[in-house]
Amino acid sequence: MKVIYSHSFYPVYTSDPAAKAGRIEAVMNALPAGAELIEAEPATEAQIALAHTMEHIEFVRAEGLYDIAALAAGGAIQAARLGLKAPTFGAIRPPGHHASDDSCWGFCYFNNMAVALLALKHEGLIETATILDFDLHYGDGNVNILEHRSWVTICNPTSHTRDKYLKEVKTFIQAHPADIIGISAGFDHHVRDWGGLLLTEDYHAMGRMVINSARKHNGGCFAILEGGYNHNEIGKNAAALMEGLSP
Ligand SMILES: [Zn+2]
């Protein structure tokens, strides 16, 4: 499993929980054996502008967060590009699924998933994409930027029991094969995180569902980090997903 990361993701860049010290370290310290690290490279402004207005890009720049947000978006592009060949995980932050084209909230600045999929589409590398967003919170930014594009399908599961949640994900994934499946991987729905629902093994199970569909339809898959705030749990949950995604 290739893992995109950067030491630049380690320092605290704002006071919000997604930037809290130790968060990326918790993921990096729990990587499955054989993980291959790849240094993140920033997205270009032109790539970011595929998903965002210039006004929003200037807003992020004025906040002093352009460089770290562009690095996360670039890491997402790398994860998606490599994901066309083999499952890849982006251990990136700030997260992105609450960033819309012209606004953002919820610890997000640039929409990493949207930038990644739009960049691949722009390069002619994909025709269709499916997004599984299993973060506790509804990924309004993914939806706002991508929902009206007929080549993208998005699932934000809503079931309130584990069994139903996993069935909902399985049904969706099986019904929406695509050239690439991108996972907005927030781990805040874990039983010992804010959402209090999913077990570590459920992230493994969802990873299997995604890789099975990708292999069946000759597509790619990748995951990028969104939420997840219990540093004692996020590492093993991310590792469970990576192991589930492994061919
Ligand atoms: Zn969340």
Side-chain angles (χ1 to χ4, degrees), residues 97-98 135-137 188 227 229:
H97 76 151
H98 296 308
D135 190 279
L136 164 64
H137 305 95
D188 42 2
Y229 305 103

